């Protein structure tokens, strides 16, 4: 399970050694190349597991996977400390020596490197024993370890392939148990719209789609909904025959046909249950179902075998299947989670009957149902456990308030048996990706950008084909949400009416945390007594846990020397905790964004393996930040945003030496002008800087930047009436030719500055533009639109532009799909006929002076645009009625 991630991690480590900037690395890639090649072959073998069937038993393969993972980790724990000591000694030597001394040191190291590469493989045991140089002895031991490691991996790769070829088949269920649906309860709470939608689809006239798939997360109630449809009187009247088959992970096509025939032809039931002539099945079914309407329910389908359609009469047979996966080549109807009211009703009825919660327990019952997050299986399981508990106020208060209450833990453990197969049979790359999500706090939305940066820093991502890493992660998230239904994803980033949910259900987080801790992949600390021995990654959802001496000592003595990640993901903690003093050496990811530091600990600057660093601190960044030359993501946020007179706050100029940086978020700080021709060629996102970072000398050093966020704050003591918050941005378009996303925000804007917009700040490559607080006149917006042929999303907020009217001209924003206007003094929005031809969404929010939106529908528009009016004046809401025949109009008002 974790072997695949370990393989990619080691490959990235070796790749780093091969391409290491600034530091001379020993051993070289030449010595490590056999290990890299062994990982490539092993990765191909591990991926073969994805092509095995769902009916294969994976016990032995998973055990071997565990051994492989342990072997790779063992080798990494030998290799990385060697590199750590070597890098640290070179950095310390270079910082204390003069330029001449450092050059001499480099020459010596390079000479030794050449000697090692040339002679080490050919040295005899006798010659090796005579060589007494301590460093060489260590290197020699490492070389021998590499050879042994490669040999072990080759043997295990062959063993893994043999195990795959000999995986045993799961025993199939007897037919009588597959067609026994009497124990399935069709009584359902909620989902009436989904029920009606499914029923209408199945009752549709002949010739329409013959198959409908009911899909969704395990435990969401697909079988219950299907049974209610199956038992519906109208369905029973319409279909002369009905058959129910529980498919599961193993059910051959002929076995399915026998199950159907045993139900539609009572005369053959006993014969089909015991045996069946497979060659005659199709003929018998065709004869029995000829010219008759039949509904066939296939419950819990893991792999849809479309050959079934070829063996059934055409025209009047309807197939209604349920699956925890999205089904290709079939209409899919996804079963949603229950809403709050439905959840309360289901829990109350299961515990107390039709009357529901007694008044004294109603509010606590509501809290408990909320914690079940709308999953019916969880609600029913918690209800069963609550029924056995004391109905006292004290008992229910504990269940409602404590996350790790025994009722919820027991419920999670019980339903894990139902959920776990969905994880166990995930593709290798998705399994690693999903397991890592166990680190996220429960009931919280995922920050996908942070997750992406951490996964890359962990070494779990590598380019696949022509996809970028960002595209690969987006595809993984899409597969987990859409195809496997393991992530709750209801997210339209632009629509005000979207729930904007992107999270892992708490039931699934329990599965992830339990499995990750079991295989030592990641452990989420929950108490001072947790056993963290040999854990690879540590996380906490209560940051103060690291301040307890018992926890501190346990980590320092049992796993600090091998921990690769430390994630402080609990609520913001405004007092420092001593996470920097636990003797971490090989840390790759340190996310302490939710912990306040008074000063940035210098011990962190010795973590030379660090790829990801997120801190909250008002102190200045030390010059030694450049020691973290492998850092890919840097986030430094102030605890309090204090503005002072005088020189602005810059990060050290040494940041330009950190060639691996992909992402920088330094709110309240700026990039200094580099001293030489240094460039950050890999930097793709820069957030939180002011216009002082955007001088031409800086921009030309970050030529591959894709996302730029500029935060400008007008100083309260600056009385210059001619101040322009957009000054100094004229070179963005000239230097950043690959910029896709530009955000410019003026904090605490002053509307007396009707500034001009320098059009040269908008590269034609932009696809997304967010502007806030500029106070410019609307006429400038059309000029901007004519320069941006690729723009798809435009957000204008907090008086980004001002004035009573915006007349959007034809030819502007030809590819724009989303336009958001929020908090302006706009009175009339006029869209000329033919303007915004590609627009899908116009969302206008908190525009209290707006009177009308003049927009004539263009017949050439492919889609029917949606207009959202949120907290706008009653007059424009009334005016919007004129738009309804041509547009989808949605309104919300609190008055």
């Amino acid at each position: 399970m974790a072997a695949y991630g370990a393989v990619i991690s080691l490959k990235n480590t070796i790749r780093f050694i091969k391409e290491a900037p600034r530091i001379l690395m020993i051993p070289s890639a030449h010595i490590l190349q056999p290990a890299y090649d062994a990982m490539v072959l092993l990765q191909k073998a591990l991926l073969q597991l994805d092509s095995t069937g769902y009916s294969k038993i994976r016990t032995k393969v998973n055990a071997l996977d565990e051994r492989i993972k342990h072997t790779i980790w063992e080798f990494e724990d030998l290799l990385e400390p060697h590199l750590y000591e070597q890098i640290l000694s070179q950095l310390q030597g270079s910082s204390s020596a003069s330029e001449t001394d450092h050059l001499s040191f480099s020459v010596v190291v390079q000479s030794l490197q050449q000697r090692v590469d040339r002679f080490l493989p050919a040295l005899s045991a006798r010659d090796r024993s005579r060589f007494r140089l301590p460093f060489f002895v260590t290197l020699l031991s490492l070389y021998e370890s590499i050879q042994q490691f490669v040999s072990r991996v080759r043997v295990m790769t062959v063993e893994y392939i043999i195990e795959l070829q000999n995986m045993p088949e799961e025993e199939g269920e007897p037919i009588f148990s597959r067609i026994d649906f009497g124990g399935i309860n069709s009584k359902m709470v909620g989902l009436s719209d989904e029920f009606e939608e499914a029923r209408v689809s199945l009752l549709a006239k002949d010739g329409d789609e013959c198959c409908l798939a009911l899909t969704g997360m395990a435990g969401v109630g697909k079988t219950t909904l299907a049974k209610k449809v199956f038992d519906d009187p109208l369905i029973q009247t319409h279909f002369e025959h009905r058959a129910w088959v529980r498919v599961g992970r193993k059910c051959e096509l002929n076995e399915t046909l026998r199950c159907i025939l045993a139900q539609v032809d009572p005369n053959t039931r006993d014969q089909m249950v015991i045996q069946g002539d497979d060659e005659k099945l199709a003929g018998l079914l065709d004869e029995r179902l000829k010219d008759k309407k039949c509904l066939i329910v296939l419950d819990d389908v893991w792999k849809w075998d479309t050959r079934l359609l070829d063996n059934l009469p055409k025209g009047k047979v309807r197939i209604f299947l349920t699956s925890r996966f999205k089904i290709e080549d079939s209409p899919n109807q996804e079963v949603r989670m229950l809403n709050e009211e439905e959840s309360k009703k289901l829990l109350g009825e299961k515990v107390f009957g039709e009357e529901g919660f007694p008044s004294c327990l109603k509010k606590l019952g509501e809290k408990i149902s909320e914690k079940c997050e709308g999953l019916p299986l969880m609600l029913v399981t918690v209800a069963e456990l609550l029924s056995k508990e004391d109905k006292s106020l004290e008992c229910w208060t504990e269940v409602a308030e404590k996350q790790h209450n025994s009722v919820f833990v027991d419920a999670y453990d019980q339903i894990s048996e139902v959920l776990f197969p969905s994880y166990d049979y995930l593709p290798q790359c998705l399994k690693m990706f999903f397991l890592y999500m166990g680190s996220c706090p429960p009931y919280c939305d995922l920050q996908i950008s942070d997750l992406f940066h951490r996964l890359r820093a962990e070494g779990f991502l590598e380019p696949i084909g022509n996809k970028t890493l960002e595209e690969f992660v987006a595809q993984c998230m899409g597969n987990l949400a859409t195809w496997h239904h393991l992530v709750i994803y209801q997210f339209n980033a632009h629509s005000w009416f979207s729930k904007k949910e992107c999270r892992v259900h708490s039931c699934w987080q329990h599965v992830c945390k339990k499995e990750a801790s079991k295989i030592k992949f990641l452990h989420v600390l929950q108490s001072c007594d947790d056993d963290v021995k040999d854990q690879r990654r540590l996380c906490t959802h209560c940051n103060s846990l690291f301040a307890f001496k018992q926890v501190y000592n346990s980590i320092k003595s049992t796993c600090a020397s091998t921990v690769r990640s430390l994630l402080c993901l609990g609520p913001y903690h405004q007092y420092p905790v001593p996470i920097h003093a636990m003797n971490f050496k090989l840390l790759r990811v340190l996310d302490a964004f939710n912990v306040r530091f008074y000063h940035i600990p210098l011990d962190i600057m010795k973590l030379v393996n660090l790829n990801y660093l997120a801190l909250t601190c008002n102190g200045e960044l030390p010059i030694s930040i450049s020691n973290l030359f492998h850092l890919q993501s840097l986030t430094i946020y102030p605890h309090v945003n204090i503005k002072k007179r005088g020189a602005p706050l810059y990060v050290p100029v040494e940041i330009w030496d950190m060639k691996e940086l992909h992402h920088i978020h330094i709110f309240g700080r700026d990039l200094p002008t580099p001293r030489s021709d240094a460039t950050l060629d890999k930097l793709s996102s820069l957030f939180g800087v002011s216009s002082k970072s955007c001088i031409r000398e800086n921009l030309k050093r970050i030529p591959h930047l894709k996302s730029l966020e500029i935060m400008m704050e007008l100083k309260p003591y600056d009385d210059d009436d001619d101040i322009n918050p957009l000054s100094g941005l004229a070179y963005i378009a000239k230097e950043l030719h690959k910029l896709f996303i530009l955000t410019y925000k003026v904090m605490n804007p002053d509307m007396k500055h009707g500034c001009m917009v320098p059009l040269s700040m908008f590269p034609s490559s932009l696809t997304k533009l967010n502007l806030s607080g500029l106070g410019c006149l609307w006429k400038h917006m059309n000029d901007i639109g004519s320069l941006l042929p690729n723009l798809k999303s435009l957000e204008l907020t907090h008086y980004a532009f001002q004035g009573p009217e915006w007349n959007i001209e034809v030819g502007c924003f030809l590819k724009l799909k989303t336009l958001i206007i929020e908090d302006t003094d706009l009175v009339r929005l006029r869209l000329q006929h033919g303007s915004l031809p590609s627009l899908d969404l116009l969302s206008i929010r908190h525009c209290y002076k707006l009177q009308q939106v003049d927009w004539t529908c263009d017949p050439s528009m492919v889609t029917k645009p949606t207009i959202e009016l949120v907290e706008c004046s009653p007059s424009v809401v009334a005016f919007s009625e004129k738009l309804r025949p041509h547009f989808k109009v949605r309104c919300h008002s609190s008055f």
Side-chain angles (χ1 to χ4, degrees), residues 180-449:
D180 181 14
F181 52 85
I184 301 173
N185 191 350
S186 63
K187 185 178 180 181
M188 186 178 68
V189 172
L191 301 179
S192 56
D193 291 342
E194 287 74 10
F195 164 75
E196 189 59 35
E197 182 182 347
R199 187 171 65 170
V200 168
S201 297
L202 294 173
L203 294 174
K205 63 181 180 179
D206 296 345
D208 291 347
E209 291 284 352
C210 66
C211 182
L212 175 65
L214 206 60
T215 63
M217 184 185 294
V220 80
K222 302 180 294 295
T223 298
T224 302
L225 179 54
K227 187 62 165 53
K228 183 170 183 178
V229 173
F230 189 78
D231 290 342
D232 182 69
L234 198 58
I235 291 289
Q236 294 186 46
T237 303
H238 182 80
F239 292 101
E240 297 169 77
H241 293 293
R242 293 175 304 134
W244 183 288
V245 183
R246 199 175 75 79
V247 180
R249 293 206 302 274
K250 183 183 180 183
C251 188
E252 301 294 341
L253 173 63
N254 287 332
E255 191 174 1
T256 303
L257 293 174
R258 287 166 60 196
C259 289
I260 296 170
L261 192 56
Q263 295 174 79
V264 300
D265 187 356
N267 296 326
T268 65
R269 180 182 178 92
D270 293 337
Q271 181 185 353
M272 290 299 106
V273 169
I274 300 171
Q275 60 181 3
D277 188 343
D278 293 343
E279 295 181 2
K280 297 180 181 179
L281 288 174
L284 287 170
L285 271 173
D286 188 60
E287 180 183 334
R288 190 72 184 87
L289 298 178
K290 188 176 182 180
D291 298 327
K292 294 182 179 179
K293 294 178 180 178
C294 178
L295 174 64
I296 299 171
V297 175
L298 303 177
D299 187 33
D300 193 25
V301 173
W302 280 65
K303 186 175 182 181
W304 172 224
D305 191 344
T306 55
R307 293 179 301 163
L308 178 64
L309 299 175
D310 299 329
N311 288 273
L312 294 172
K314 302 293 187 293
K316 297 192 175 183
V317 175
R318 290 283 190 272
I319 296 177
F320 188 32
L321 60 87
T322 72
S323 178
R324 57 183 74 191
F325 309 112
K326 183 178 180 180
I327 300 296
E328 290 186 285
D329 305 319
S330 172
N332 284 255
Q333 179 182 332
E334 185 173 346
V335 181
R336 63 172 173 83
M337 300 284 186
L338 301 184
N339 60 35
E340 290 183 11
E341 286 301 318
E342 293 166 344
S343 297
K344 287 188 289 186
K345 181 176 172 56
L346 178 58
L347 184 68
E349 288 184 358
K350 287 293 180 181
V351 180
F352 296 102
E354 294 292 334
E355 298 80 12
F357 298 113
S359 57
C360 62
L361 295 177
K362 187 174 182 180
K363 287 192 177 297
L364 293 173
E366 290 176 359
K367 284 188 177 181
I368 294 171
S369 67
E370 284 178 15
K371 290 172 68 175
C372 296
E373 298 182 276
L375 188 67
L377 179 60
M378 185 65 182
L379 286 158
V380 171
T381 307
V382 167
E384 290 175 354
L385 293 169
L386 282 174
S387 298
K388 301 173 185 177
E389 294 284 328
D390 181 15
K391 304 298 190 299
S392 67
L393 200 62
E394 293 77 14
C395 177
W396 276 55
T397 300
E398 185 178 341
V399 175
E401 301 295 339
K402 290 188 177 180
Q403 174 64 29
H404 305 299
N405 178 270
S406 61
V407 168
F408 269 87
V409 173
D410 290 346
Y412 288 146
D413 287 337
Q414 284 186 33
I415 68 174
S416 291
E417 296 181 11
V418 177
L419 303 181
F420 188 79
S422 292
Y423 161 78
D424 196 26
Y425 287 91
L426 275 175
Q428 293 276 33
C429 60
L430 293 185
K431 187 179 293 187
M432 172 192 66
F433 192 95
F434 188 57
L435 202 63
Y436 194 77
M437 290 185 184
S439 63
C440 301
Y443 312 115
C444 294
D445 285 336
L446 293 166
Q447 299 298 321
I448 298 179
S449 59

Side-chain angles (χ1 to χ4, degrees), residues 411-619:
Y412 288 146
D413 287 337
Q414 284 186 33
I415 68 174
S416 291
E417 296 181 11
V418 177
L419 303 181
F420 188 79
S422 292
Y423 161 78
D424 196 26
Y425 287 91
L426 275 175
Q428 293 276 33
C429 60
L430 293 185
K431 187 179 293 187
M432 172 192 66
F433 192 95
F434 188 57
L435 202 63
Y436 194 77
M437 290 185 184
S439 63
C440 301
Y443 312 115
C444 294
D445 285 336
L446 293 166
Q447 299 298 321
I448 298 179
S449 59
D450 292 342
L451 183 66
F452 164 71
H453 292 307
R454 287 201 293 265
L455 283 167
R456 179 172 58 189
E458 295 276 7
F460 290 153
L461 303 180
E462 61 178 356
I464 296 180
N466 296 323
K467 288 187 177 69
T468 64
L469 295 183
E470 291 90 343
E471 290 169 341
F472 171 69
V473 170
Q475 183 185 39
C476 288
M477 284 295 295
N479 286 340
L480 287 170
T482 305
W483 287 96
H484 298 274
H485 300 106
L486 297 181
V487 174
I488 299 171
Y489 191 86
Q490 299 177 13
F491 197 89
N492 182 339
H494 304 298
S495 173
W496 185 88
F497 290 93
S498 171
K499 288 184 177 180
K500 295 181 175 61
E501 289 182 318
C502 180
R503 58 191 169 85
V504 177
H505 195 283
S506 57
C507 298
W508 271 113
Q509 283 189 316
H510 178 79
V511 172
C512 289
K513 287 189 291 187
K514 190 174 181 178
E515 180 65 16
S517 182
K518 175 185 171 184
I519 63 176
K520 308 294 184 182
F521 177 79
L522 180 145
H523 181 79
V524 178
L525 282 165
Q526 295 180 346
S527 73
C528 295
D529 300 321
D530 281 16
D531 180 10
V532 296
K533 189 176 187 299
D534 297 329
Q535 290 291 343
R536 206 72 170 177
R537 292 163 191 86
L538 294 178
C539 171
T540 181
H541 300 153
C542 177
N543 299 328
S544 59
L545 268 176
F546 287 127
F548 286 90
K549 188 174 181 180
Q550 184 178 345
V551 175
Y552 173 91
N553 290 337
S554 176
I555 293 173
K556 189 171 183 178
S557 62
T558 62
C559 65
S561 61
T562 58
V563 163
R564 290 335 195 255
S565 299
L566 192 65
L567 308 174
C568 307
L569 303 183
Y572 186 71
H573 189 71
Q574 63 176 335
Y575 301 104
V577 293
I579 58 177
H580 59 283
M582 295 186 206
N583 200 28
F584 299 112
K585 291 184 177 180
L586 305 180
L587 215 57
R588 296 178 181 180
V589 173
L590 175 55
D591 193 329
F593 184 76
N594 290 338
V595 177
R596 179 195 179 184
F597 287 89
Y598 296 127
H599 302 284
I600 296 178
L602 293 180
D603 286 346
I604 292 177
M605 301 302 123
K606 296 179 182 178
L607 301 176
V608 294
N609 282 7
L610 211 57
N611 296 336
Y612 178 105
L613 177 61
L615 296 174
T616 294
C617 182
N618 275 86

